[in-house]
Amino acid sequence: MAKKGDWVRIHRVVLKAEERTAKLPEDTKACDLEMWTKGTLLADAEIGDEVEIETIVGRREKGELVEVGPYYTHSYGVFVPEIIEIDKQLRKIMKGGDK
Amino acid sequence: MALAKDYASVMGRSNEIQKKALGLDYAGYESGSIAFDYEALMKDTGYTLEEISRIQGRTAVGNTPLIELRNLAALSRKYAKPGYGARIFAKDEAANASGSFKARRAACAVAHAKKLGYKGVIAATSGNYGAAVASQAAMQGLDCIIVQECYDSHQIGQPEIVEKARKCEAYGAEVIQLTVGPELFYTFLSVLEDTGYFNASLYSPFGIAGVETLGYEIAMQCRELVGKDPEMVVCTNAGGGMITGTARGLQKAGAVGTKMVAASIDLTGLSMASDKQFNLKSCTTGHTGFGVPYATDPDHSDVPRSAARPLRYMDRYVTVKQGEVMYMTEALANLEGIERGPAGNTALAAAFSLAQELPEDAVIVISETEYTGAGKHIQPQLAFAREHGIDIHFGNPAQEDKPGENVILPADPGMIKAEDADLNRFRESLIRKAVKKAGGVTPTEADLKFLAEETKTDIAFVKNTLEKLGL
C-alpha cells in the first residue's frame, strides 16, 4: 500500500510495438517504447494501480505504480581479475626496467 | 482546445515546437538550396568569447588545469623509435562543476534560457550533458528535465547511464527514462510542448560557443607552460561538439598550426537502435555509433541545424578499441594518480599511440577528462559486460576485437594503436547526404563553397565527389 505523498516511480507504455513506425531494427520494433519517471503520489494506491504523480518540477504524469521509495543499486561492480593484471604489468614495466 | 498528443500529431508540430523552445528561427540562415550560413548562426548567439568566459566563471566552469602526464608519456616512449614520443597533457575537465566539459555547453545554454525568460530547461541525453544541464539549472535557478534513453526491453541499463540519472536527480532534475529507440524525440517534443521550457540542445549555437573557451584555454596554457601551441589536440568524438568548439577556440587564440584529431571507440557492426545490442557495448559514448553519423550528417539532431560540424575542423579521425580505452583508464589511475571516467579517455588511448609518431619535444593535448564514480568506472563496466556474455581477455585488440562479442585488453601497452579512419570517405558521405537532403538540387557556386567548408577541402574535391557520385 502506497500512501498519498509517498515518493514513487511509475511506468507507462509510450508506444505499443505495433504503433512504432520509425525506422527501427526488427528486434526493437517488436518491443513497446516504455517510460519511467518519479514523483509524489497524489492518492493512496497499490503497486500495479494506474496512478497520477507530481514530478519534482511540478509536472503531472500518469502511469502504473511500480516502486515506492525508489533507490539506486549501481555500484563499483564485482571483482574483475584482469584489472589487477593491468596494475601488475604497469608496475613491472615502469619499475622493473624491462620493456 | 487541447492539442492532440499522439505520435503523428506531435511529430507534425516538430518545427513549431522547436522554434518556440529555442527562441531562434533557423529559417533565416537557409539559402533555399544546400548551403546555410553557419557563421551567421554562430555569430547571432550574441556572445563573445569574453562574455562566455564570464558566464562560465560565475558558475564554476572553465579555467581547468592542464596536467602533464609524464609517466604515461614515458611509457609511450618505450614503444617509440629513439627521439620520439611526444609530451602528453590532459585538460582536466572533470574539475568543472558537474564533472565534465559538458558544463561549458550547459552554462551558456542555461544562461541564455534564463535571459530569454524561460522557466525551465530540457535536454535529451544519456550522458554527462544531462548532469551538466541539471547542475547549471540548479545554479541559475531554473527547473530541469532530462530525457534519457536508459534501458533495454528487460529494463536493464548500463551502470554508466544509471549513474548519470542519479547525478541529474542529485541536482534536482526530473529524469524521464525510456527504452531504446529514436522515438525518444517524440517524448522530448511532447514534454517541451507541455512545459514551454527551453530546449538546451547539445547542438545549439549557445552550447557550441560554450566549448570555444576550452580551445582558447588550451592555447593560452600551452604557451605559458611550454612556450608554444600544441602540435596536436586529440578530442574524443561522439556528436562532434567537442572538436568543433575546441578547434574554433584554438583558432580564436591564433593557434592555426595545431592539428585537430578526432578519436572514437570502434563499435563497427553494432546498431545503436537495437534493443538486443543496446547492452552489448561496454562504453556509452565517444564511439563510432555516434561519431560517424554525426560527422557525415550533422543535421539529424534535435535542432534544425547543428552548430557542431566536426568535419569542418578535423585533420584526422582515428579509432581505438574498447579494451584499449579500459586499459588506458587504469593506466591513468595507476601511473598518474588521476582516476577519471572511461569514455573521456578515448582521446587519451589515441594520444598514447599518436605520441609515438611525434618527436619528444612535440606536445599533444587531450581535450578532456570526466568524473568517475559508481557505475561509471571500468570495474562495473567490465563486470556488466561479462555478466552479459561478453568475452574479456588479454590479447591483440587490432586482431581480435569484435564489438558486441568481446573486449580485448591489450596484452602489452605497445599494442595500443590509433587506427586512421578514411576521412575522405566521410567527406564524400557528407556531400552525398547534404545534396540528397536538399532534394537532389544542382549545387550552386555558393553550395560548392559551403560543401568545401563543411568538409575542410576545396571546390575541386567537392566537384570530383559530385561527379563520382553522379550528382
Side-chain angles (χ1 to χ4, degrees):
Chain A
M1 170 85 182
K3 289 251 174 269
K4 179 183 173 185
D6 282 350
W7 187 253
V8 300
R9 190 177 204 205
I10 61 166
H11 168 257
R12 180 160 68 82
V13 172
V14 179
L15 292 172
K16 290 201 189 95
E18 58 271 24
E19 294 171 326
R20 299 185 77 166
T21 51
K23 209 171 98 188
L24 293 171
E26 288 304 318
D27 61 338
T28 311
K29 210 176 266 179
C31 305
D32 295 341
L33 179 69
E34 303 171 77
M35 184 204 82
W36 292 261
T37 193
K38 296 172 187 170
T40 304
L41 190 63
L42 295 180
D44 292 0
E46 300 288 341
I47 295 284
D49 286 353
E50 273 297 305
V51 298
E52 191 175 17
I53 62 165
E54 184 175 309
T55 72
I56 194 78
V57 300
R59 214 168 57 84
R60 295 286 175 105
E61 187 73 74
K62 283 181 186 151
E64 179 200 348
L65 179 65
V66 288
E67 210 178 339
V68 181
Y71 62 99
Y72 287 98
T73 55
H74 64 290
S75 69
Y76 282 94
V78 297
F79 180 58
V80 176
E82 286 81 359
I83 295 176
I84 300 298
E85 291 308 310
I86 296 173
D87 295 357
K88 284 183 183 166
Q89 182 183 54
L90 289 168
R91 179 171 283 264
K92 193 171 161 214
I93 296 170
M94 297 304 281
K95 297 189 177 159
D98 59 341
K99 197 168 167 174
Chain B
M1 198 185 81
L3 289 166
K5 298 296 283 187
D6 63 283
Y7 181 77
S9 303
V10 171
M11 296 300 275
R13 294 194 296 274
S14 173
N15 276 341
E16 193 188 317
I17 296 169
Q18 290 191 69
K19 203 159 113 182
K20 237 184 244 170
L22 271 164
L24 184 65
D25 187 358
Y26 284 75
Y29 305 105
E30 294 296 336
S31 69
S33 186
I34 298 164
F36 84 103
D37 197 341
Y38 175 53
E39 287 304 331
L41 174 69
M42 291 304 291
K43 196 162 158 264
D44 286 357
T45 60
Y47 300 104
T48 63
L49 195 69
E50 292 71 36
E51 281 168 322
I52 287 167
S53 188
R54 221 168 20 245
I55 289 168
Q56 293 176 340
R58 273 203 302 267
T59 52
V61 177
N63 286 314
T64 54
L66 187 68
I67 303 172
E68 181 159 16
L69 306 177
R70 292 183 181 84
N71 295 328
L72 281 180
L75 180 64
S76 166
R77 281 177 195 138
K78 288 181 188 282
Y79 306 96
K81 61 183 178 186
Y84 279 72
R87 296 169 75 176
I88 305 171
F89 291 75
K91 188 73 170 144
D92 196 23
E93 289 292 288
N96 287 309
S98 88
S100 77
F101 92 98
K102 295 277 169 54
R104 294 179 188 264
R105 288 160 96 153
C108 291
V110 175
H112 190 73
K114 193 174 179 177
K115 192 171 98 176
L116 297 181
Y118 288 88
K119 187 176 161 281
V121 287
I122 303 187
T125 161
S126 298
N128 289 325
Y129 187 58
V133 174
S135 158
Q136 287 295 319
M139 270 191 243
Q140 303 190 40
L142 298 189
D143 286 334
C144 177
I145 300 173
I146 300 301
V147 186
Q148 200 191 44
E149 183 183 57
C150 186
Y151 296 120
D152 66 10
S153 56
H154 303 290
Q155 209 193 335
I156 293 171
Q158 293 261 347
E160 193 185 2
I161 298 185
V162 175
E163 159 56 20
K164 286 166 186 169
R166 183 209 60 81
K167 199 165 173 70
C168 292
E169 288 183 355
Y171 294 130
E174 177 184 349
V175 181
I176 297 175
Q177 297 179 307
L178 293 162
T179 49
V180 180
E183 304 103 317
L184 175 146
F185 193 54
Y186 158 54
T187 301
F188 172 75
L189 283 177
S190 177
V191 178
L192 261 184
E193 186 172 49
D194 289 344
T195 56
Y197 287 2
F198 181 76
N199 174 9
S201 162
L202 265 169
Y203 305 100
S204 77
F206 324 108
I208 300 306
V211 188
E212 290 179 2
T213 52
L214 175 53
Y216 194 84
E217 287 169 24
I218 288 172
M220 293 304 160
Q221 285 170 309
C222 277
R223 287 168 194 173
E224 197 181 316
L225 285 171
V226 296
K228 62 171 180 177
D229 294 334
E231 272 74 12
M232 193 184 272
V233 172
V234 189
C235 299
T236 299
N237 188 53
M242 163 59 96
I243 195 164
T244 300
T246 303
R248 291 176 63 87
L250 280 157
Q251 284 172 5
K252 285 188 177 178
V256 289
T258 301
K259 290 278 171 239
M260 296 301 302
V261 181
S264 295
I265 296 173
D266 185 359
L267 286 191
T268 306
L270 281 183
S271 160
M272 294 305 122
S274 162
D275 179 67
K276 285 199 175 71
Q277 295 181 355
F278 185 65
N279 282 326
L280 294 182
K281 53 186 188 292
S282 303
C283 54
T284 59
T285 186
H287 54 67
T288 52
F290 292 139
V292 174
Y294 276 98
T296 55
D297 180 15
D299 299 318
H300 74 286
S301 75
D302 54 358
V303 287
R305 285 289 194 177
S306 175
R309 311 195 79 80
L311 285 189
R312 284 183 174 241
Y313 301 98
M314 251 182 232
D315 294 301
R316 282 171 79 174
Y317 194 169
V318 299
T319 60
V320 289
K321 312 291 188 195
Q322 296 186 98
E324 294 172 329
V325 176
M326 302 279 185
Y327 190 103
M328 282 309 296
T329 299
E330 188 63 10
L332 180 67
N334 258 246
L335 299 183
E336 299 290 350
I338 305 170
E339 205 182 13
R340 297 290 183 265
N345 294 332
T346 305
L348 179 63
F352 180 81
S353 163
L354 294 166
Q356 294 160 36
E357 298 175 6
L358 298 174
E360 279 181 355
D361 61 350
V363 169
I364 297 187
V365 175
I366 59 154
S367 60
E368 68 173 309
T369 61
E370 58 170 335
Y371 89 99
T372 192
K376 205 160 124 49
H377 181 281
I378 62 165
Q379 181 156 294
Q381 289 180 258
L382 286 173
F384 181 87
R386 187 160 268 160
E387 200 183 307
H388 285 83
I390 301 292
D391 171 29
I392 300 166
H393 66 262
F394 286 97
N396 188 343
Q399 288 165 6
E400 299 174 53
D401 180 76
K402 277 208 173 73
E405 286 179 30
N406 61 26
V407 171
I408 308 299
L409 298 162
D412 183 279
M415 289 177 178
I416 297 172
K417 288 275 175 256
E419 275 181 60
D420 269 287
D422 184 353
L423 200 48
N424 278 344
R425 196 168 59 88
F426 296 148
R427 289 166 168 157
E428 288 169 8
S429 170
L430 181 144
I431 292 169
R432 181 172 50 81
K433 289 175 183 171
V435 175
K436 204 175 142 199
K437 249 189 187 171
V441 295
T442 307
T444 62
E445 282 303 312
D447 288 337
L448 294 177
K449 186 167 167 277
F450 170 79
L451 289 171
E453 285 167 0
E454 283 276 278
T455 50
K456 205 177 184 187
T457 59
D458 50 31
I459 289 181
F461 179 89
V462 177
K463 280 186 170 165
N464 278 340
T465 302
L466 291 169
E467 205 166 303
K468 200 165 127 187
L469 298 171
L471 294 166

